[in-house]
Amino acid sequence: TTRWVNVTSLLGYAAPGTSCNTPGYATIQAAINAASPGDTVKVCSGTYVENVSINKANLRVISTNGAAVTIVRSAATLAVFSVTQRNVRIDGFTIVPLGLTAKYDIGVNVAIQGIASTEIANNVVVRGRIGINLGCSSSASTIYYNVVRGATEAGINTDTCEIAPLYPGSTDNDVHHNTVCGGLYPYSIAGGQGSNNNNIHHNTAIWITAAGSGNHVHNNVAEVYNIVQPGNLVNNNTIANVCP
């Protein structure tokens, strides 16, 4: 089933709709609440002020006309999109967290332990403490063709739980073809200790860090590479000034 979201709908309208030319759900969350696993939520152009919890598996939440005209602004100090179930896709939004310093000033937070298989693609994340966060102990997500700018701590973060002595991290993720300007040194695109076996390639960023092992960092353009531990494969990267 396709659930249509249209910001011009009457508040509280709760019907799937048939296109962006007909009324649908007034909020993204209302459509997700009505959806079943495997549904597609199509979001029409407009500005949505809400925090979206994707708590059903196999949902595709996609804009109909792309990030330039489909904006989701945080309504509270929470992640703009929080993903708690597997096999979710978020595609084609401008995402604006509320603040810059609070723990959950995050654009997209994958809050899953184990195999997440989340796809985050074709989004623009502006501001926030972290643009896109792959929660510690999550794995197998793909982050691609996003633009992240203005984050105060990290642009794209493959997180680490920082629980000694194991330091479980976010592993086996594919982070590629993203542009990341911003983040505290050295965390534009960052993998902490225990974040292992990630494939980080064809990105443009200020800084790229890999502190785990088994990561493949290749074909990127960045100002600084911070490959902390041995056991990572690093090749075909370019050093250049890429952000204003």
Side-chain angles (χ1 to χ4, degrees):
T1 299
T2 298
R3 312 279 177 172
W4 292 85
V5 182
N6 195 332
V7 74
T8 63
S9 298
L10 296 174
L11 185 63
Y13 191 85
T18 57
S19 73
C20 286
N21 296 318
T22 61
Y25 297 94
T27 66
I28 302 168
Q29 191 64 59
I32 291 170
N33 292 345
S36 298
D39 283 358
T40 296
V41 175
K42 289 192 175 181
V43 183
C44 302
S45 302
T47 298
Y48 301 83
V49 182
E50 56 180 308
N51 298 89
V52 180
S53 176
I54 305 179
N55 53 11
K56 295 173 183 175
N58 305 306
L59 287 188
R60 299 172 70 241
V61 182
I62 61 176
S63 70
T64 59
N65 292 304
V69 292
T70 316
I71 301 164
V72 186
R73 295 183 178 274
S74 183
T77 307
L78 299 168
V80 184
F81 285 92
S82 179
V83 181
T84 59
Q85 293 294 324
R86 296 179 179 181
N87 301 315
V88 163
R89 179 169 179 161
I90 300 170
D91 191 329
F93 299 94
T94 293
I95 299 169
V96 187
L98 184 65
L100 297 170
T101 59
K103 181 176 181 179
Y104 289 107
D105 284 332
I106 299 174
V108 181
N109 187 38
V110 179
I112 295 173
Q113 291 186 337
I115 298 173
S117 298
T118 304
E119 289 188 46
I120 303 170
N122 304 307
N123 301 288
V124 177
V125 187
V126 183
R127 296 170 30 95
R129 184 176 70 89
I130 299 173
I132 298 170
N133 188 63
L134 301 180
C136 61
S137 298
S138 73
S139 65
S141 291
T142 307
I143 314 300
Y144 57 104
Y145 289 106
N146 300 282
V147 175
V148 183
R149 61 177 186 265
T152 58
E153 183 176 316
I156 298 174
N157 186 37
T158 50
D159 204 0
T160 299
C161 291
E162 299 176 354
I163 302 172
L166 297 179
Y167 296 101
S170 182
T171 61
D172 300 292
N173 302 291
D174 195 5
V175 179
H176 67 88
H177 291 94
N178 302 284
T179 299
V180 184
C181 292
L184 181 70
Y185 173 83
Y187 301 133
S188 291
I189 298 176
Q193 186 176 354
S195 291
N196 305 325
N197 305 317
N198 297 292
N199 192 13
I200 303 169
H201 62 99
H202 293 93
N203 300 285
T204 300
I206 302 178
W207 307 291
I208 296 178
T209 292
S213 63
N215 299 292
H216 189 188
V217 181
H218 62 98
N219 296 100
N220 301 284
V221 181
E223 297 178 21
V224 177
Y225 296 89
N226 186 31
I227 312 303
V228 177
Q229 296 183 359
N232 295 301
L233 179 61
V234 181
N235 60 282
N236 296 323
N237 296 293
T238 301
I239 297 174
N241 293 327
V242 296
C243 296

